[in-house]
């Protein structure tokens, strides 16, 4: 096959998601339904590209129909509305478990002692590897879309964060913005960790105190699912995320209410 033809085939535009299926996605996903027509069309194009490039692998006994696969693609692409399809680079598979899943962890401490344990997770993003989600938790997010949670957005935030080769809570950005982001996020993270360590009540999920990359991912969930809370409690972080992700669908919903 001629090289030019191979390049054209590899770079061909994805087939658009069927109208009837996309209508099912919008009916199921409040964040999609709240988008203005231009952003909804952009998301549909991104989700079509996702379905073209990614293998979605449900783990038995879970089975996913075309509308559910398109729903997963749309959720994973919500954080890419401004960033674009470059956010899909570096990995090829979405693995979907029926429910929370267990993974074995190991760590060798400073004394050379090996520690092993099991974690129960609802999502994970491997560096250079697959993105993994619990379908039960995806559905829980869809059932209560403005409660501060979206596991698909959380794991995609990790994928964006890792694009520059370092998982540190700062995705690839223009240099000047990157400096502002790193300064503001670090200050907000340090204050948040101090509050959690002191046992004070915090409005944002305390899991955000685990590491800077988790702080970014958890705050990304709030951007899409409860941006008003984020603006009140972490205003600088909220401003950066609105610039990075665009206007939250939750805000569009509130304005139209």
């Amino acid at each position: 096959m001629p090289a030019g033809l191979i390049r054209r085939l590899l770079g061909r535009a994805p087939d658009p998601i069927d109208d009837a299926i996309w209508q099912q996605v919008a009916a199921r996903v409040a964040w999609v339904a709240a988008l203005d027509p231009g952003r909804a069309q952009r998301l549909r194009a991104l989700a079509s590209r996702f379905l073209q490039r990614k293998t979605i692998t449900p783990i038995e006994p879970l089975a996913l129909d075309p509308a559910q696969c398109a729903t997963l693609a749309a959720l994973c692409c919500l954080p890419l509305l401004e960033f674009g399809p470059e956010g899909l680079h570096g990995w090829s598979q979405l693995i979907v478990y029926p429910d929370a899943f267990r993974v074995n962890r190991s760590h060798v401490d400073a004394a050379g002692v090996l520690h092993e344990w099991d974690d129960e997770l609802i999502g994970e993003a491997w560096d250079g590897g697959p993105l993994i989600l619990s379908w039960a938790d995806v559905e829980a997010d869809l059932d209560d879309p403005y409660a501060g949670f979206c596991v698909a957005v959380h794991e995609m935030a990790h994928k964006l964060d890792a694009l520059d080769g370092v998982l540190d809570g700062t995705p690839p950005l223009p240099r000047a913005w990157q400096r502002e982001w790193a300064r503001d996020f670090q200050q907000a993270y340090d204050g948040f960790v101090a509050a959690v360590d002191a046992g004070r009540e915090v409005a944002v999920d305390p899991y955000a105190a685990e590491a800077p990359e988790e702080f970014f991912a958890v705050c990304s969930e709030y951007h899409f699912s409860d941006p008003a809370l984020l603006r009140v409690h972490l205003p600088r972080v909220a401003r950066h995320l609105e610039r990075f992700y665009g206007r939250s669908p939750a805000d569009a919903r509130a304005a139209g209410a």
Side-chain angles (χ1 to χ4, degrees):
M1 184 179 292
L5 179 56
I6 293 174
R7 284 195 296 272
R8 286 196 296 276
L9 289 172
L10 291 176
R12 71 184 186 279
D15 294 331
I17 295 172
D18 179 80
D19 287 345
I21 288 177
W22 189 249
Q23 288 171 10
Q24 291 181 61
V25 173
R28 182 68 177 108
V29 186
W31 300 304
V32 175
L35 293 172
D36 65 69
R39 297 186 83 206
Q41 187 58 38
R42 196 185 317 160
L43 180 65
R44 185 175 177 178
L46 286 165
S48 299
R49 187 180 293 266
F50 185 101
L51 293 172
Q52 178 196 49
R53 293 188 176 184
K54 310 299 182 191
T55 300
I56 299 178
T57 306
I59 303 300
E60 292 185 346
L62 179 67
L64 298 170
D65 63 29
Q68 290 168 327
C69 289
T71 294
L72 287 165
L75 288 171
C76 289
C77 290
L78 273 173
L80 308 183
L81 277 167
E82 303 302 323
F83 194 89
E86 296 82 5
L88 296 174
H89 290 174
W91 58 286
S92 61
Q93 186 179 27
L94 169 60
I95 298 173
V96 189
Y97 281 85
D99 211 324
F101 52 94
R102 300 186 71 83
V103 296
N104 179 259
R105 305 292 197 194
S106 62
H107 169 70
V108 178
D109 64 23
V113 177
L114 174 65
H115 302 269
E116 292 187 294
W117 69 97
D118 285 338
D119 273 346
E120 186 171 84
L121 303 177
I122 65 171
E124 190 170 34
W126 293 2
D127 185 16
L131 189 149
I132 309 172
L133 297 173
S134 154
W135 179 247
D137 288 274
V138 168
E139 292 217 291
D141 294 338
L142 297 179
D143 289 340
D144 196 3
Y146 302 112
F149 302 103
C150 183
V151 64
V153 164
H154 184 109
E155 300 308 333
M156 280 299 298
H158 286 320
K159 286 295 189 184
L160 290 170
D161 188 359
L163 283 174
D164 59 3
V166 182
L167 196 64
D168 59 358
T170 304
L173 299 168
R175 186 174 298 275
W177 185 10
Q178 185 179 53
R179 286 195 296 267
E180 295 172 8
W181 176 295
R183 178 199 65 211
D184 292 342
F185 266 77
Q186 188 65 54
Q187 290 176 354
Y189 174 70
D190 290 343
F192 187 79
V193 170
V196 171
D197 288 348
R200 298 198 297 272
E201 185 175 347
V202 291
V204 170
D205 185 350
Y207 184 68
E210 288 290 311
E213 59 269 25
E214 297 300 346
F215 184 73
F216 165 50
V218 169
C219 289
S220 295
E221 294 185 73
Y222 279 89
H223 169 80
F224 286 95
S225 57
D226 197 349
L229 181 145
L230 199 64
R231 283 193 292 269
V232 169
H233 295 279
L234 296 166
R236 290 185 180 178
V237 167
R239 284 195 294 272
H240 281 294
L241 292 181
E242 181 160 2
R243 181 179 174 187
F244 185 65
Y245 292 128
R247 187 187 187 196
S248 172
D251 284 332
R253 167 184 172 268

